[in-house]
Amino acid sequence: MQPKNYDALLLASFGGPEGQDDVIPFLRNVTSGRGIPDERLEEVATHYRANGGVSPINAQNRALKSALEAELARRGINLPVLWGNRNWDPYITDVFKEAYDAGHRRVLALSTSAYSGYSSCRQYREDFGMALVETGLAGKLEVDKVRQYFDHPGFVEPFVEGLAEGLNRVRAELAAQGAEDAPVHILFATHSIPIGDAENAGPRGEEYEGGSAYVAQHLATARAVLDRVPEAAGVDWSLVYQSRSGAPHVPWLEPDINDAIEELPAHGVKGVVIVPLGFVSDHMEVVWDLDTEALETCRNLGLAAARIPTPGVHQKFVEGLVDLVCERTLEQHKAERPALSALGPWMDVCMPGCCANRRGEKPTVAGMDSTVGVTQP
């Protein structure tokens, strides 16, 4: 897409509860339309209950918003940063109304999901489109979205630093046990999704490694990280999945990270480094599924283990996000579109049917087939 003059930047994220009373209403929002009773939602709620009913994602997004504002100011870019969530306050619908009332007419959105897929890209585009329709702002407020950034250097480099440090920590622990030469395995972890959604990820008609743009992008990013970590040379690795939900009869991407860990000792592995490759911050699915469950599995098996950090507010990540913004702006325009894999740089405007919604079409923005989000003449 040709660069434009935007008058606001929207940091868009998933959202999360801020207290015990918010947990079930939040989970109702997340599962809206699926008919899941509160009794089943309470099973998932235990993850939040154990942390005081507060999701860490909100504080992390506030910190990221502040970091983006500071980096924009450092570069002399006058672009206010808004923050809106899909499933909890501040809701995207409310933020759009406030943005329009404040005089904004052209918004560039940046989501906290790096990969292609229905939940990680198209659902954001749908939520933007539905918000415009519900507020009556379709045709009045223009909304675009930056490209998916799975292989952008700003996203990759924090994992490079973390993996090198994580390998050193695990090897030091093994050396203290007198097993300095014991095999170590690297697990690149991401959110599992239904296989049907995985097969629909990315533009139609393309062939991808693993049968999915979602899988192929993670594999490509993992290799981009490994290629930049000398300490990882010769170390075995695999892509694993976590946070599965939904009906048991629906197939999701596998293997589950805990199942994969349990198989490692039989291959002589004594140490594990977990790389949360699918996530930009240490939110609930990282804190619970990795720091609680996966590391407990490692302890039970006697494995030395480390979970490395997500990008969070790492300076290289923040700078990379602002670089992505500058790819799209007229002022401070950045013509270079870096990508560390052959899959990228990803598209600014999604192809028709990209990451299709298997449950039915909804208004979307930032697509060649979008009917909302563009200012009408």
Side-chain angles (χ1 to χ4, degrees):
M1 178 176 280
Q2 293 298 313
K4 300 179 182 179
N5 281 321
Y6 294 96
D7 49 32
L9 174 65
L10 171 66
L11 175 63
S13 194
F14 192 79
E18 298 272 23
Q20 296 288 10
D21 292 342
D22 296 342
V23 175
I24 293 300
F26 162 73
L27 293 174
R28 288 183 191 136
N29 287 344
V30 173
T31 60
S32 177
R34 302 183 200 173
I36 300 177
D38 285 358
E39 302 79 59
R40 284 187 59 193
L41 295 180
E42 196 61 55
E43 296 175 13
V44 179
T46 57
H47 304 174
Y48 295 96
R49 302 289 190 209
N51 288 272
V54 178
S55 171
I57 196 171
N58 298 314
Q60 290 158 12
N61 282 327
R62 292 184 185 101
L64 181 56
K65 179 177 181 289
S66 295
L68 287 169
E69 290 168 336
E71 180 61 18
L72 288 165
R74 187 186 70 82
R75 300 192 195 189
I77 302 173
N78 183 23
L79 197 63
V81 183
L82 315 175
W83 169 37
N85 292 323
R86 283 172 34 198
N87 299 295
W88 202 249
D89 186 65
Y91 291 101
I92 288 169
T93 301
D94 296 333
V95 173
F96 279 179
K97 287 189 290 187
E98 293 168 3
Y100 187 81
D101 290 344
H104 301 307
R105 296 295 181 266
R106 183 175 280 169
V107 175
L108 181 62
L110 165 70
S111 78
T112 55
S113 296
Y115 297 88
S116 294
Y118 175 70
S119 296
S120 51
C121 183
R122 189 179 186 92
Q123 195 168 14
Y124 279 99
R125 295 171 50 219
E126 289 179 349
D127 286 348
F128 299 155
M130 291 296 293
L132 291 172
V133 171
E134 291 171 9
T135 57
L137 293 175
K140 298 179 181 179
L141 184 68
E142 184 171 359
V143 181
D144 292 326
K145 180 177 176 293
V146 305
R147 63 184 171 97
Q148 298 304 95
Y149 48 85
F150 59 94
D151 61 355
H152 190 281
F155 182 65
V156 172
E157 285 299 328
F159 288 119
V160 170
E161 293 181 14
L163 178 56
E165 195 272 337
L167 282 167
N168 289 334
R169 280 168 49 200
V170 169
R171 284 172 171 153
E173 183 175 341
L174 290 173
Q177 299 171 7
E180 58 271 15
D181 296 324
V184 175
H185 194 94
I186 301 168
L187 294 171
F188 290 95
T190 191
H191 205 303
S192 184
I193 61 175
I195 289 177
D197 284 346
E199 292 172 346
N200 275 345
R204 303 300 83 223
E206 301 285 340
E207 292 186 6
Y208 298 102
E209 183 179 7
S212 163
Y214 183 79
V215 175
Q217 288 172 357
H218 280 86
L219 291 171
T221 306
R223 293 184 184 113
V225 173
L226 292 166
D227 288 346
R228 288 160 178 78
V229 181
E231 295 89 340
V235 179
D236 288 337
W237 64 277
S238 53
L239 177 64
V240 295
Y241 302 93
Q242 61 175 89
S243 312
R244 183 205 157 111
S245 60
H249 68 278
V250 177
W252 285 49
L253 292 174
E254 295 178 340
D256 176 80
I257 184 170
N258 292 289
D259 294 339
I261 292 170
E262 289 175 353
E263 293 181 0
L264 292 177
H267 300 281
V269 172
K270 299 295 184 182
V272 174
V273 178
I274 299 172
V275 182
L277 196 67
F279 308 97
V280 305
S281 68
D282 287 9
H283 54 66
M284 186 58 69
E285 285 160 319
V286 175
V287 171
W288 184 267
D289 295 11
L290 298 182
D291 294 351
T292 303
E293 293 185 339
L295 289 182
E296 182 179 1
T297 300
C298 291
R299 287 192 295 272
N300 291 340
L301 295 169
L303 297 171
R307 193 273 291 177
I308 73 167
T310 50
V313 291
H314 191 292
Q315 186 60 31
K316 290 182 179 178
F317 180 52
V318 174
E319 291 174 0
L321 292 179
V322 174
D323 286 345
L324 287 163
V325 171
C326 290
E327 290 179 5
R328 304 293 297 278
T329 57
L330 275 173
E331 294 185 12
Q332 303 282 345
H333 179 61
K334 189 177 179 67
E336 182 186 6
R337 294 164 52 84
L340 299 181
S341 83
L343 293 176
W346 208 246
M347 62 200 78
D348 294 333
V349 181
C350 292
M351 302 290 286
C354 189
C355 301
N357 184 347
R358 296 186 295 140
R359 300 154 192 87
E361 293 296 315
K362 294 181 178 181
T364 62
V365 307
M368 292 180 66
D369 52 354
S370 295
T371 56
V372 296
V374 178
T375 303
Q376 303 301 318

